[in-house]
Amino acid sequence: MIAELLIVTNRAAVLLRKISTDRNEAHDFRSMDVFPKKLQLIGRGHIPPHFVENDVHFYYIRRGSLYFVATSKKDVCAVSAIEFLSRLYHMMKDFCGVVSEDSVRANTLLLHELLCDAMIASTEKLKPYITSDPVVVERSPAAQEDIATRLFGIENRTTPVSTSHKPAVRTSLDEVKKNEIFVDIVERLTAVTDAKGVVSHMEVQGTINVKNFLLGHPQVKIALNEDLQVNAAGQVKGYGNSASIDRCTFHQCVDLTDFDNSRILTVSPPPGEFSAMTYSVSGSGLNLPVRVLVFISDIPNSRDVDVTVRVRCAVPASCNAAYLVIKLPVPSAVSSVSQHVTGPSQEVAFRSEEKLVVWSIRKMPGGEESMAQLRLINHTSHHISKLDVGPASVDFEISKHTLSGLQIRFLRVFEHEHSYVPHRWIRYITTADSFTVKTN
């Protein structure tokens, strides 16, 4: 299925490459040149997660500053390819503790071994076949880098393979193992809109992530919306607790006996973290959670240009958009930017070396709007064209909300050998994977 695997930095440098030894899958097309060039020409975050070039299919995910890319001669299911890349990322994290550019460079030999056997289902099955020792790379965690840390109040520890019997993610009380299970519905949005907010493409990739820290070997039942519609492409999502998804796949530990009738997943969870269910949603059933409008106008008798950016948080008032960042590329003729924003906890910065205007909003409640008025100051003799401004990219994170409407009715744990009451935690997260606003 997979012909080639690449790990590429956001500077379009190929860190690691693995070609399939299967002659039926191998191809002569130089994929390692295509994706970095697209990254440089189109811009970070603006490449669709699945595209075709010279009859070769490309699939990728972005984690931090790295892109994990898979290619295939055949048109495989995009959800399966992205799930495979996500699983590969988590395997690398299990072995190296930290997945960053430095850790990939330091563990090149180990990761080459890992890519050779990446089709094996889990980290535990891979360990007997991996002979290299990991090089532990220390780093300070970024404030916005790890969603799970903020949601679950837990601490990330770098854990090499030799001590893999200890959990890589621990609670603050390391000496006391709690009976806990975390179920996290994460939806990542890919969208393209024009300057007036009209959507030309929108798709959601969702996962039900489980972090299992329960004693014994319990059985867990996860009940989803009773009226959940599967393979409902093109249908308009209803109101209330209804939800519809186009397609879905499940982890091997999930029993689907009760899924068709009552939408209940019966899970025999392995220790640690895994994705119980992966799904996708597209079409008219989705509502854009953050709407961004961009207006560009010339200033009479001046070479400067006015840019007005409006943003509206179109989610329920009980939810907030956090870490909302709008990045707007500007022409090289722009030497500085004057700005005025409405609302608290906002900041506009001009990165002169990157020619990038960054508007950051720490928190925006549902239903609220804000506006940034920018003047692009041109000290050169060249005229600034409107076509040279943008496109803008949008990043955000929304908790307590899913675009698909998918919810968990109940989460129950059954353990016959132990008598205990486990701690159960449920979270909903919606974040932007690739959100582009065309400005012209």
Side-chain angles (χ1 to χ4, degrees):
M1 180 180 73
I2 300 299
E4 190 176 16
L5 290 171
L6 302 171
I7 300 178
V8 184
T9 69
N10 58 1
R11 302 187 308 277
V14 178
L15 292 180
L16 210 60
R17 183 192 186 201
K18 176 61 182 175
I19 303 175
S20 173
T21 56
D22 188 347
R23 293 183 179 180
N24 295 325
E25 293 294 344
H27 54 75
D28 298 329
F29 188 53
R30 289 185 60 82
S31 315
M32 65 177 296
D33 296 334
V34 172
F35 189 85
K37 286 181 180 178
K38 272 191 171 291
L39 200 60
Q40 290 176 326
L41 293 175
I42 301 179
R44 178 182 177 183
H46 304 321
I47 307 175
H50 172 215
F51 65 91
V52 182
E53 190 83 17
N54 285 17
D55 296 327
V56 176
H57 295 263
F58 287 76
Y59 309 85
Y60 84 93
I61 61 173
R62 186 182 73 196
R63 296 294 180 266
S65 62
L66 299 181
Y67 293 81
F68 295 79
V69 186
T71 70
S72 175
K73 292 197 300 183
K74 301 176 182 178
D75 184 9
V76 300
C77 177
V79 174
S80 300
I82 290 173
E83 165 66 17
F84 168 72
L85 291 172
S86 179
R87 188 179 67 188
L88 177 63
Y89 165 77
H90 286 293
M91 285 181 181
M92 293 173 61
K93 191 173 182 180
D94 287 340
F95 277 91
C96 301
V98 172
V99 182
S100 63
E101 182 174 345
D102 291 337
S103 67
V104 170
R105 293 186 186 278
N107 291 281
T108 301
L109 179 61
L110 182 147
L111 295 180
H112 265 296
E113 290 188 69
L114 183 61
L115 293 180
C116 289
D117 300 310
M119 298 303 291
I120 298 178
S122 66
T123 304
E124 295 300 324
K125 292 183 180 180
L126 276 175
K127 286 175 184 175
Y129 305 99
I130 301 299
T131 59
S132 302
D133 293 325
V135 178
V136 179
V137 178
E138 299 289 345
R139 66 166 176 80
S140 299
Q144 302 178 22
E145 188 173 286
D146 197 341
I147 296 176
T149 302
R150 294 194 298 272
L151 290 171
F152 301 136
I154 55 182
E155 179 182 356
N156 282 339
R157 300 292 182 85
T158 301
T159 305
V161 177
S162 59
T163 58
S164 59
H165 62 282
K166 299 179 182 180
V169 183
R170 303 179 184 176
T171 62
S172 57
L173 300 176
D174 292 331
E175 302 299 326
V176 181
K177 181 174 182 179
K178 294 183 179 180
N179 295 301
E180 296 179 307
I181 183 168
F182 301 90
V183 178
D184 183 15
I185 296 184
V186 180
E187 294 190 346
R188 295 180 172 86
L189 172 70
T190 300
V192 179
T193 70
D194 63 14
K196 297 180 180 180
V198 178
V199 178
S200 59
H201 172 76
M202 182 158 53
E203 183 178 6
V204 167
Q205 299 292 336
T207 57
I208 300 180
N209 292 332
V210 178
K211 291 184 175 68
N212 173 31
F213 302 108
L214 297 171
L215 289 176
H217 303 281
Q219 185 181 79
V220 178
K221 289 186 178 291
I222 304 173
L224 305 178
N225 312 54
E226 286 184 304
D227 54 357
L228 172 64
Q229 301 178 41
V230 182
N231 298 324
Q235 297 185 17
V236 178
K237 187 176 74 68
Y239 296 93
N241 294 328
S242 65
S244 62
I245 57 180
D246 297 345
R247 62 189 72 87
C248 58
T249 58
F250 301 91
H251 192 274
Q252 58 192 5
C253 71
V254 178
D255 184 354
L256 300 176
T257 303
D258 300 325
F259 184 71
D260 289 336
N261 295 327
S262 55
R263 298 307 190 201
I264 295 177
L265 305 178
T266 303
V267 187
S268 301
E273 181 180 358
F274 65 96
S275 295
M277 173 179 167
T278 303
Y279 60 93
S280 65
V281 193
S282 60
S284 59
L286 293 172
N287 294 315
L288 202 62
V290 175
R291 293 193 172 272
V292 178
L293 309 179
V294 181
F295 305 95
I296 304 174
S297 59
D298 294 324
I299 300 175
N301 302 319
S302 175
R303 290 190 297 269
D304 297 348
V305 171
D306 268 340
V307 179
T308 301
V309 183
R310 292 181 179 271
V311 58
R312 182 177 185 274
C313 185
V315 298
S318 58
C319 305
N320 300 303
Y323 306 103
L324 177 57
V325 178
I326 300 172
K327 299 178 181 178
L328 181 69
V330 297
S332 58
V334 176
S335 58
S336 61
V337 175
S338 64
Q339 48 84 18
H340 173 72
V341 295
T342 60
S345 303
Q346 301 184 26
E347 179 183 357
V348 174
F350 175 55
R351 301 177 184 173
S352 57
E353 294 182 356
E354 304 174 55
K355 297 301 178 182
L356 192 67
V357 178
V358 181
W359 180 18
S360 304
I361 304 175
R362 189 179 307 168
K363 180 179 178 182
M364 176 175 283
E368 290 197 1
E369 298 185 13
S370 193
M371 181 176 67
Q373 294 177 311
L374 311 173
R375 179 166 180 153
L376 308 184
I377 299 174
N378 178 13
H379 286 160
T380 69
S381 59
H382 301 286
H383 178 72
I384 295 178
S385 171
K386 296 180 181 180
L387 299 177
D388 295 332
V389 180
S393 62
V394 184
D395 290 320
F396 61 83
E397 178 187 320
I398 301 172
S399 59
K400 304 179 184 179
H401 181 71
T402 59
L403 299 179
S404 65
L406 192 66
Q407 295 183 355
I408 296 177
R409 287 186 285 128
F410 62 77
L411 173 61
R412 295 173 183 168
V413 179
F414 302 91
E415 173 57 80
H416 301 293
E417 298 180 1
H418 295 81
S419 177
Y420 61 78
V421 178
H423 297 277
R424 294 161 293 178
W425 309 91
I426 298 173
R427 296 293 184 268
Y428 303 97
I429 315 147
T430 298
T431 185
D433 192 22
S434 176
F435 186 175
T436 303
V437 180
K438 296 180 179 178
T439 54
N440 46 65

